[in-house]
Amino acid sequence: MTQARITQTSSITHTHWLLLGILLVMAGLFLSVRSSDAVATRANTAGQSSGFWGTDQDLALPAPESDTQAPLASLEAPVEEERWHTIKVKSGDTLSDIFSRLDLNPQLLHTILSLGDETATLKRLHPGEIIKFKLAEQSQLMELMYDIDPTRSLRVWSGNDGYQTSLIERPIERRVVHSAGVISSSLFEAAQDAGMSDSLTMQLAGIFGWDIDFALDIRDGDRFSVVYDDLYVDGERLRHGDILAAEFINRGETFKAVRYTDPSGLTNYYTPDGDSMRKAFLRTPVDFSRISSGFSMGRFHPVLNRIRAHKGVDYASPTGTPIKATGDGRVSFVGIKGGYGKVVELQHGRRYSTLYGHMSRFGKGIRNGSTVRQGQTIGYVGMTGLATGPHLHYEFRVDGLHRNPLKVQFPDAAPIAAKYKQDFLTKSRATLAQLESNKNGVVAANDR
């Protein structure tokens, strides 16, 4: 009985000690965690101030290692800034002057100009042109851009193998445009009202210049209708292009022309039937001039004060107006000839010859024996010799006999080649249809 009580008491005592041990271990672990939290808190506080807990160096803990590294840019030197500088070429400017203003190395100029034919354009700068330079710090040239014309730009840039060049070409878009007008005072005014430039008007006059004397034949009420190209680059109009087809009604007579390029590459204007608009001779040797004296066998001479045959036509024009050869030929005489003053004579084949008198000066390359092309400038209007004012005296001869240039029937140029006739008729049909549609629409609107 007594032994049983002793054994039970011992068992209880062992159990109590086991429970007490477990509780002490758990208390120890709890105190350890609290102590670690306190140290971490003091370390964070020390990283923000150096108050009661001491300085950053005293309490700073080593930073934990991480797989994420700091960005390299923060460890490298800052990249030099590159900036574009736009330079407008001044009068008298050279590329050397511009390099000097930008503080660029003169040796660099020699390097760029030696890169090839493309950079040779930089030797011929014109006032108002734009050159762009991309420069890094300390005037280091990274890139150069130069607009050669509205469709081409030169690029020079610094690459791994030194400076390099390329030519950037912008595609040209062609848009077909219609214009028409009625003449009430002059062809130029009517064309301007129709939205045509002076150069396009000159094209129109050139096409019909073999049949119509634009100095003498134009009348109020004459009509014209034109289909032509407008050229665009990057969506902006660059300029007028070529006339594709045109109609001119002069004194009730209708003239039509259509542009055609044959398979060999030859471009010309033809009638709708394929006959050439060109004649062997132009009707007039100067553009848009006033006839001051016509062909006559009994004219009173204003200088000699007596009746004298006037075997040509006088065109009153300002001094310096270009004089054109009316036909292909060869210079048979150039120099001073009596009352004609400074004169050029041309021989056109065996039968025809022309004379141009009272010039102020001769055209470039005009000398005895040289050949000239129709429309080539052979001299300039003046008043040398027996003249009371600046004008051109023009004579036309057939087999050595003087003929009235305003009335003589000129020989036609060769028609379109027979082997191209069908191709011409097929391609010109659509263009002539556009011309007809334009004439009926736009001119009718002008009449309202």
Side-chain angles (χ1 to χ4, degrees), residues 47-197:
Q48 299 174 3
S49 67
S50 55
F52 176 80
W53 296 103
T55 64
D56 293 350
Q57 289 80 2
D58 293 332
L59 297 174
L61 298 177
E65 294 184 359
S66 172
D67 292 334
T68 303
Q69 301 295 324
L72 293 177
S74 64
L75 303 177
E76 298 176 350
V79 178
E80 291 184 344
E81 182 182 5
E82 298 177 353
R83 297 180 57 190
W84 280 101
H85 299 260
T86 300
I87 302 298
K88 187 174 184 179
V89 178
K90 301 176 182 177
S91 179
D93 258 352
T94 64
L95 193 60
S96 176
D97 298 327
I98 296 173
F99 269 51
S100 178
R101 290 203 296 270
L102 293 174
D103 198 26
L104 292 171
N105 190 332
Q107 181 61 35
L108 177 59
L109 173 63
H110 176 73
T111 299
I112 289 176
L113 294 180
S114 301
L115 291 175
D117 293 339
E118 291 178 349
T119 58
T121 58
L122 293 169
K123 299 177 183 179
R124 300 180 295 274
L125 301 180
H126 300 90
E129 292 182 332
I130 299 297
I131 308 179
K132 296 180 180 180
F133 297 83
K134 181 190 280 189
L135 304 180
E137 292 182 2
Q138 299 178 354
S139 296
Q140 181 183 359
L141 179 63
M142 306 305 296
E143 189 173 348
L144 179 153
M145 290 290 295
Y146 168 59
D147 290 337
I148 300 172
D149 56 43
T151 64
R152 297 180 301 154
S153 294
L154 171 67
R155 179 182 179 233
V156 181
W157 75 97
S158 177
N160 294 332
D161 299 325
Y163 284 97
Q164 303 174 50
T165 67
S166 64
L167 194 62
I168 302 171
E169 296 190 352
R170 302 178 184 88
I172 295 178
E173 176 191 359
R174 296 180 180 271
R175 302 180 187 178
V176 177
V177 181
H178 301 162
S179 291
V182 179
I183 297 174
S184 59
S185 58
S186 73
L187 173 61
F188 271 107
E189 282 192 20
Q192 287 175 353
D193 291 342
M196 296 166 56
S197 65

Side-chain angles (χ1 to χ4, degrees), residues 153-324:
S153 294
L154 171 67
R155 179 182 179 233
V156 181
W157 75 97
S158 177
N160 294 332
D161 299 325
Y163 284 97
Q164 303 174 50
T165 67
S166 64
L167 194 62
I168 302 171
E169 296 190 352
R170 302 178 184 88
I172 295 178
E173 176 191 359
R174 296 180 180 271
R175 302 180 187 178
V176 177
V177 181
H178 301 162
S179 291
V182 179
I183 297 174
S184 59
S185 58
S186 73
L187 173 61
F188 271 107
E189 282 192 20
Q192 287 175 353
D193 291 342
M196 296 166 56
S197 65
D198 288 350
S199 63
L200 199 64
T201 307
M202 294 296 291
Q203 262 195 72
L204 179 65
I207 292 170
F208 296 107
W210 287 273
D211 297 298
I212 302 172
D213 186 333
F214 284 90
L216 183 67
D217 294 341
I218 299 300
R219 294 290 184 272
D220 287 353
D222 286 353
R223 299 171 179 267
F224 60 87
S225 180
V226 187
V227 176
Y228 58 93
D229 278 334
D230 260 354
L231 307 183
Y232 283 77
V233 174
D234 295 335
E236 295 186 5
R237 198 182 82 173
L238 178 62
R239 63 177 182 274
H240 292 320
D242 298 311
I243 290 178
L244 305 178
E247 178 183 276
F248 205 105
I249 302 175
N250 174 237
R251 298 184 177 188
E253 186 175 2
T254 299
F255 301 90
K256 285 186 179 181
V258 60
R259 190 174 192 267
Y260 172 68
T261 301
D262 66 32
S264 71
L266 179 64
T267 299
N268 216 324
Y269 288 92
Y270 299 90
T271 69
D273 294 328
D275 293 328
S276 176
M277 290 299 295
R278 293 182 74 246
K279 303 293 189 292
F281 294 93
L282 293 172
R283 183 60 64 179
T284 55
V286 285
D287 290 323
F288 305 105
S289 297
R290 176 179 61 86
I291 294 178
S292 56
S293 185
F295 187 92
S296 173
M297 298 306 293
R299 186 194 68 152
F300 181 80
H301 197 285
V303 177
L304 299 177
N305 292 317
R306 58 187 173 86
I307 300 298
R308 185 180 183 183
H310 190 247
K311 299 179 180 181
V313 174
D314 289 348
Y315 293 90
S317 296
T319 298
T321 300
I323 299 169
K324 300 180 294 185

Side-chain angles (χ1 to χ4, degrees), residues 6-23:
I6 293 172
T7 301
Q8 185 178 11
T9 301
S10 176
S11 176
I12 292 172
T13 301
H14 288 157
T15 300
H16 287 169
W17 281 111
L18 180 61
L19 290 174
L20 180 61
I22 292 171
L23 288 174

